[in-house]
């Protein structure tokens, strides 16, 4: 059973990585469909946390996500298999493309195929944005909704760098945790004084 689950983890990450174009946002969405909706190995909240960590950590989003996802599903061995499943397909594909780069570069057919793929990738990224936005709205947390809107306005209208948005969100998260901690501590001491 354990070996079957590990094999399924490797094959799932390998297949998703091999047939996904458009980068990290696309593959994270497909991870959600596979591991949350189809296999039920993760809760939706866990996948959202994995997405947030993967996007705000240095390095490629798919690799970051697979490290955490694999570890969550089956510890260090799961992490290693998920990473291998994620990096082998692009490594092989990029190696082959580099060998035949001149032929690919001048091919009219390849050029048209890439343009069509871009349109498909845009649709998948839009799907990711809508799903993540829906999940934020579902929380009914006013702060999260305001941060989401502010991040959109900052990037779309003011062309702020993603790094500024990430640091801003980290700061808001830390302040929220600190305020919640202080509130719980003061509630705890007031409850103790009653007893």
């Amino acid at each position: 059973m354990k070996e079957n689950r590990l094999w399924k983890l490797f094959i799932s990450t390998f297949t998703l990585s091999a047939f996904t174009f458009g980068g990290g946002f696309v593959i994270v969405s497909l991870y959600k469909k596979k591991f949350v909706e189809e296999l039920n190995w993760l809760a939706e909240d866990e996948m959202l946390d994995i997405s947030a960590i993967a996007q705000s950590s240095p390095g490629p989003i798919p690799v970051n996500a697979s490290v955490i996802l694999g570890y969550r599903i089956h510890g260090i061995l799961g992490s290693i298999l998920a990473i291998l499943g994620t990096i082998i397909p692009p490594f092989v594909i990029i190696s082959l493309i580099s060998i035949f780069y001149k032929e690919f570069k001048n091919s009219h057919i390849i050029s048209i195929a890439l343009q069509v793929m871009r349109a498909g990738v845009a649709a998948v990224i839009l799907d990711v944005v809508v799903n993540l936005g829906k999940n934020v709205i579902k929380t009914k947390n006013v702060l999260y909704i305001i941060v989401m809107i502010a991040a959109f306005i900052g990037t779309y209208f003011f062309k702020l760098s993603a790094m500024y948005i990430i640091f801003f969100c980290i700061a808001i998260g830390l302040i929220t945790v600190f305020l919640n901690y202080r509130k719980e501590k003061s509630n705890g001491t007031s409850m103790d004084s009653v007893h």
Side-chain angles (χ1 to χ4, degrees), residues 20-49:
T20 302
F21 296 90
F25 297 107
V26 176
I27 202 164
V28 165
S29 167
L30 296 174
Y31 277 175
K32 177 182 171 283
K33 282 182 173 63
K34 184 72 177 178
F35 296 108
V36 175
E37 295 168 16
E38 189 182 318
L39 296 173
N40 293 314
W41 286 357
L42 296 170
E44 195 160 329
D45 287 347
E46 287 176 296
M47 196 63 224
L48 282 173
D49 291 343

Side-chain angles (χ1 to χ4, degrees), residues 7-78:
W7 175 246
K8 198 160 198 173
L9 173 64
F10 174 77
I11 287 298
S12 298
T13 53
F14 184 92
T15 308
L16 290 172
S17 183
F19 297 104
T20 302
F21 296 90
F25 297 107
V26 176
I27 202 164
V28 165
S29 167
L30 296 174
Y31 277 175
K32 177 182 171 283
K33 282 182 173 63
K34 184 72 177 178
F35 296 108
V36 175
E37 295 168 16
E38 189 182 318
L39 296 173
N40 293 314
W41 286 357
L42 296 170
E44 195 160 329
D45 287 347
E46 287 176 296
M47 196 63 224
L48 282 173
D49 291 343
I50 290 170
S51 301
I53 295 166
Q55 290 169 39
S56 55
S57 302
I61 295 172
V63 175
N64 292 344
S66 64
V67 170
I68 304 164
L69 184 132
Y71 187 81
R72 175 65 189 84
I73 291 169
H74 211 285
I76 292 172
L77 186 57

Side-chain angles (χ1 to χ4, degrees), residues 53-185:
I53 295 166
Q55 290 169 39
S56 55
S57 302
I61 295 172
V63 175
N64 292 344
S66 64
V67 170
I68 304 164
L69 184 132
Y71 187 81
R72 175 65 189 84
I73 291 169
H74 211 285
I76 292 172
L77 186 57
S79 225
I80 292 167
L81 288 173
I83 292 166
L84 288 173
T86 303
I87 64 172
I88 289 171
F91 178 77
V92 171
I93 292 167
I94 294 296
S95 298
L96 291 173
I97 288 173
S98 68
I99 294 167
F100 302 107
Y101 178 71
K102 284 185 181 175
E103 289 77 5
F104 278 123
K105 184 182 169 190
N106 300 322
S107 170
H108 183 65
I109 294 166
I110 298 286
S111 175
I112 290 171
L114 289 173
Q115 285 176 353
V116 171
M117 282 178 2
R118 272 186 236 146
V121 166
V124 174
I125 290 174
L126 180 62
D127 177 55
V128 173
V129 170
V130 169
N131 282 330
L132 289 174
K134 271 194 228 170
N135 289 330
V136 170
I137 291 167
K138 270 186 207 171
T139 64
K140 296 181 181 173
N141 186 315
V142 177
L143 177 64
Y144 296 166
I145 294 168
I146 290 170
V147 168
M148 179 179 70
I149 293 167
F152 173 76
I153 291 168
T155 52
Y156 189 77
F157 294 107
F158 298 104
K159 310 294 183 217
L160 285 176
S161 165
M163 284 311 303
Y164 293 126
I165 302 292
I166 289 167
F167 286 131
F168 171 73
C169 291
I170 288 171
I172 296 238
L174 290 173
I175 291 166
T176 305
V177 167
F178 176 72
L179 292 175
N180 286 341
Y181 175 75
R182 282 188 60 184
K183 187 177 175 183
E184 285 174 15
K185 197 171 179 185

